Amino acid sequence: QQLEQTREQVRRAAEALEQEQVTQAAASGTRAEREFDELRNEFRRRSSGRFNDQMRDLRDAARDLERREQELGQKLTTPANSENRRKSLSEEGSSREDLPRDIAEQRQRLKTLTDQMRETIQEAEETEPLLSERLYEAARNLQDQNVDRALEAAGRSLRQGLPDDAQQLERAASRGIEKLREGVERAAESVLGDEDAALRRAR
């Protein structure tokens, strides 16, 4: 409805110009410009609201990815004959045997997250350029870190019976995922604001 009203103001301005009614044309043009600004702001507000939900999901996924990577690192560095282990030998052995599968699942989570990031980058490019830019930077840094390749190589090393190599590769992947989480959180701040600052203001 508002768009139709704006179109009507533009039509009136055009007619007034044709009839050389400059003052009326200027007034109609000004009203049309104001209404276009209102439409643009309303569109941006609604888009921003949609990106709020998307960025909360992305931020939560990035944090979960980092948490799971830390768990993988702990499993890799826990010696099989630790005296302080809480699990039985059979349970621990089974857990270590599951590591290649856990790494494969982690790679899938990483792929899902990066796919969602790419979609958001494209969708936010027009209405939220800062969000798009920061997400793009996070995605590019992730690619530079070769995180997926490191995880793939870690799984291969485990299957070949090379746990030390797997640990080294996992540590490299963990650093990359930490950087990814930081980048996603920084991007989220562009639409959600600084959570810590918001909590301080609330207190």
Side-chain angles (χ1 to χ4, degrees), residues 65-77:
L65 189 75
E66 183 182 34
R67 178 182 63 80
R68 291 177 183 271
E69 189 63 33
Q70 291 170 351
E71 291 174 356
L72 280 175
Q74 290 172 358
K75 288 182 181 179
L76 279 167
T77 55

Side-chain angles (χ1 to χ4, degrees), residues 141-158:
N141 288 339
L142 176 70
Q143 188 174 9
D144 292 343
Q145 296 284 332
N146 291 320
V147 172
D148 181 67
R149 188 176 300 176
L151 286 172
E152 181 184 20
R156 186 166 56 247
S157 294
L158 282 173

Side-chain angles (χ1 to χ4, degrees), residues 36-53:
F36 272 128
D37 286 340
E38 291 174 358
L39 282 171
R40 183 171 58 249
N41 291 335
E42 175 65 14
F43 176 75
R44 188 179 185 279
R45 185 187 64 79
R46 293 184 181 183
S47 297
S48 177
R50 177 167 58 89
F51 289 126
N52 286 353
D53 294 337

Side-chain angles (χ1 to χ4, degrees), residues 102-118:
D102 294 340
I103 290 174
E105 291 175 352
Q106 181 74 337
R107 290 182 65 201
Q108 182 57 50
R109 281 188 287 268
L110 177 63
K111 181 181 184 302
T112 299
L113 176 58
T114 53
D115 287 346
Q116 292 172 343
M117 288 173 64
R118 279 194 290 268

Side-chain angles (χ1 to χ4, degrees), residues 6-16:
T6 304
R7 286 174 175 168
E8 178 64 19
Q9 292 296 339
V10 173
R11 186 186 62 79
R12 290 178 182 176
E15 289 179 352

